[in-house]
Amino acid sequence: MKEKVILLVEDNPDDELLVMRALKKANVLNEVVIARDGAEALDYLFGTGDYAGRDTSDTPAVTLLDLKLPKVDGLGVLRQVRADERLRTLPVVILTSSREQEDIIKSYELGANSYVRKPVEFNTFAEAVRQLGLYWLVLNEAPPHQR
Amino acid sequence: MTGKIDTYRDAGDAECDCGEAVSELQRLRDQLQAAEQRAAEMARELDQLSYAVSHDLRAPLRAIDGFSAILLEDYADGIDDQGRHYLQVVRDNTRKLNGYVEALLGLARVGRRDLNRVELDMDAMFAAVCAEITATATDRRLNFEVAPLPPALGDRDMIREAIRELIGNAVKFTRPRVAAIIRITGDSSGKESRYGISDNGIGFDMQYADKLFGLFQKLHGIDSFEGEGAGLARVRRILDRHGGHIWAEANVDAGATFFFTLPACEPAGKNAPNTQGVSS
C-alpha cells in the first residue's frame, strides 16, 4: 500500500529545506507535498487549480501548516478544511514562529490538532520535526477514512 | 477717592484674571489629555512594532543557525578546526540574538496583554515564587526571610512574573556569596502597598541606578552574569501598567534593595478602587 503523504504548507524555502532535512534524518520516507501558500494548500486538499482531478480521498497523513502565509493564511486554510465534511478529521499541526496567545487560542478554536512552535536553535528544531514525524506517522491512529 | 477707584479696578482685573485662568486651565487640561492619548497610542505602536520585528526576525535566525549546523554536520571533512570554530561563533551569536529577540517579545507581550485586576495575597505570591526558585536552585544556599505583606491590586500572572524576576535577580547577584540572604518586607499607606526585596549580593554603584531599568542594559560585565538585560525593563513595564513604581538602592559589594509599589486594596465598604490607567 502506498504511504500517505505529508502536506507541508510553508512559504519560506529555508524553513522548507530544514524541515525536509530533519524528516530525512528521522527516516521518514513518506512523500512530502509542499504548498507555498494557503491557496495552493487548499487546491491540493480540494483537488482544484493545479491539482484539479487529483483523487482527494487520498488525504495527507498529517498537514504541517504555517500561520503566516501569502494569499490565504494558515487560520484561513484551517477554517475551510474544518468546514468541509471530508476534511473535518484531517490531522492538522500548526508549525509556526508565533507564540502569541491569540494565535494559539484561535488555532485550537478552529480545530487544530496540535500547535508546535518552530525553535530557532537547529538541534531543537530537528528534534521537534523528528518527534512530529514519529507521533503523527507511527504512534497516532489516523481517523478511519470515509470513502 | 483714588483708592476706591483702584480697588474697583483691581476687582475687575481679578474677575478678568479668573476667567483667563479658567480658560488657561481648560487649555492645559485638553493638552494633557491629548498628550496622554498620544503616549498611549505610542506605547501601543511600540508594542506592535516589537511584536512584528521579533516575529519576523526569528525565521532568518533559524536559517543562519540551521545552515551553520548543516555545514558543521555534512561538510565536517572539508572544514578545518579554525573554520569549525568560526561556524560555532556564528551559532553562538545566533543564540544570543535569539535571546534578545525573545526578550523584546516578552516586553511587547506585557504591553499587549489585558490587565485582570484582582486582590492579590502577596504573602502567598512571594512564598510560591520563593519555593519555586528554591526548588530549581538546588546548588545554592538560599535563605528567604519574608515579613508579613499587605495585599495589593494587580494582575496575578503579571505580578507573579515581576516577583519572579526580582527574586531571580536577587538569587543571581548573590551567587558569589556562600549563602544568599534575601529579605522581603512590605508596608501599606492605605492607598499604596510597598514591597522591598533586599539581598546580600554584589550590589551596584548608585551612579548607574538610572540605567538599571533600561532595555538591554547590564551593569555587570557581559559574561559574568547571564541574561539579556531585559528583565528589569519588563518589570518596570508591568508596574507602569498597574500605576505602580519601582526603584532600587544599593552599594557596591554590599547588596541591593528593590522597592516597588502597587495600588492597595480598598478597605471593605468603600467605593471601588479608582484604577484608571493609560493603557488598560
Side-chain angles (χ1 to χ4, degrees):
Chain A
M1 200 186 100
K2 189 173 162 286
E3 292 273 3
K4 286 191 154 219
V5 305
I6 297 169
L7 176 60
L8 174 64
V9 193
E10 174 62 72
D11 66 317
N12 182 331
D14 297 334
D15 276 352
E16 174 197 321
L17 198 143
L18 294 177
V19 171
M20 295 299 283
R21 185 180 190 278
L23 286 173
K24 207 175 100 191
K25 288 263 169 184
N27 292 317
V28 172
L29 301 171
N30 303 53
E31 183 195 343
V32 180
V33 175
I34 290 150
R36 298 229 153 65
D37 59 57
E40 211 177 308
L42 290 170
D43 276 346
Y44 179 83
L45 291 167
F46 287 95
T48 50
D50 283 350
Y51 289 100
R54 192 186 79 83
D55 174 12
T56 52
S57 69
D58 186 12
T59 53
V62 62
T63 295
L64 304 176
L65 181 62
D66 197 1
L67 284 183
K68 252 187 148 182
L69 291 168
K71 297 183 188 169
V72 184
D73 69 7
L75 293 177
V77 172
L78 188 57
R79 196 175 288 119
Q80 292 196 44
V81 161
R82 288 302 181 242
D84 186 85
E85 195 63 32
R86 296 158 300 166
L87 293 173
R88 228 173 37 198
T89 56
L90 178 79
V92 176
V93 174
I94 304 294
L95 189 60
T96 175
S97 281
S98 166
R99 202 173 56 189
E100 289 304 295
Q101 269 191 17
E102 54 201 78
D103 284 339
I104 300 176
I105 292 169
K106 267 196 200 134
S107 298
Y108 279 119
E109 275 176 358
L110 287 172
N113 296 86
S114 184
Y115 190 105
V116 177
R117 193 172 179 236
K118 289 179 195 162
V120 163
E121 209 272 320
F122 174 73
N123 303 16
T124 330
F125 182 84
E127 178 58 19
V129 172
R130 190 189 70 82
Q131 286 194 25
L132 276 177
L134 186 71
Y135 181 82
W136 288 103
L137 302 171
V138 181
L139 208 56
N140 183 59
E141 288 288 343
H145 213 271
Q146 53 284 81
R147 275 170 204 258
Chain B
M1 195 66 190
T2 47
K4 201 175 180 184
I5 290 168
D6 279 351
T7 316
Y8 209 77
R9 194 184 293 141
D10 282 353
D13 281 356
E15 207 168 89
C16 171
D17 283 353
C18 203
E20 258 172 37
V22 167
S23 62
E24 174 71 4
L25 206 62
Q26 178 70 44
R27 198 177 61 79
L28 286 173
R29 208 178 59 186
D30 289 350
Q31 254 177 19
L32 186 68
Q33 238 167 30
E36 270 179 0
Q37 210 167 4
R38 223 170 23 241
E41 270 165 30
M42 276 172 69
R44 251 197 311 277
E45 257 172 47
L46 189 67
D47 289 336
Q48 273 163 9
L49 181 75
S50 329
Y51 171 70
V53 166
S54 323
H55 202 270
D56 295 340
L57 274 178
R58 287 175 51 87
L61 275 180
R62 189 161 46 245
I64 295 170
D65 192 57
F67 288 92
S68 309
I70 291 174
L71 271 178
L72 281 167
E73 266 184 49
D74 295 1
Y75 298 88
D77 296 344
I79 308 170
D80 62 8
D81 284 351
Q82 183 89 353
R84 268 192 293 278
H85 169 68
Y86 290 155
L87 276 172
Q88 197 51 52
V89 173
V90 171
R91 294 197 69 190
D92 291 346
N93 278 280
T94 313
R95 204 158 307 154
K96 256 182 222 164
L97 187 49
N98 185 43
Y100 288 125
V101 169
E102 289 290 332
L104 207 57
L105 205 56
L107 191 66
R109 214 171 279 138
V110 171
R112 287 160 51 87
R113 229 158 32 180
D114 289 329
L115 278 195
N116 176 25
R117 281 196 185 80
V118 294
E119 182 177 337
L120 300 173
D121 176 349
M122 295 296 273
D123 292 309
M125 300 265 296
F126 270 96
V129 172
C130 292
E132 186 185 303
I133 287 179
T134 306
T136 52
T138 45
D139 56 331
R140 297 280 309 276
R141 270 175 63 195
L142 305 177
N143 299 317
F144 290 106
E145 296 170 15
V146 188
L149 303 172
L153 267 185
D155 180 284
R156 195 180 304 280
D157 290 342
M158 281 200 210
I159 299 303
R160 191 186 295 119
E161 203 181 312
I163 294 174
R164 197 179 287 137
E165 188 67 41
L166 291 172
I167 306 244
N169 273 354
V171 169
K172 191 198 291 185
F173 294 109
T174 49
R175 198 184 295 143
R177 308 289 183 248
V178 178
I181 301 164
I182 297 163
R183 286 194 182 89
I184 295 147
T185 55
D187 57 71
S188 181
S189 69
K191 237 181 111 183
E192 237 180 24
S193 295
R194 189 178 72 158
Y195 307 89
I197 297 138
S198 311
D199 64 55
N200 61 334
I202 59 167
F204 58 86
D205 188 338
M206 281 302 279
Q207 192 184 330
Y208 306 116
D210 57 325
K211 286 194 168 175
L212 218 46
F213 301 98
L215 185 59
F216 301 144
Q217 295 278 3
K218 293 182 77 171
L219 294 193
H220 305 286
I222 186 160
D223 287 321
S224 41
F225 291 94
E226 69 286 0
E228 282 78 30
L232 286 175
R234 199 169 73 248
V235 173
R236 186 170 70 175
R237 185 86 176 91
I238 290 174
L239 292 166
D240 276 353
R241 288 209 56 195
H242 284 80
H245 299 284
I246 181 161
W247 68 99
E249 288 164 10
N251 281 304
V252 176
D253 222 32
T257 303
F258 282 82
F259 296 99
F260 71 89
T261 62
L262 279 172
C265 297
E266 292 279 306
K270 285 223 175 143
N271 289 334
N274 177 17
T275 50
Q276 72 198 29
V278 179
S279 52
S280 52

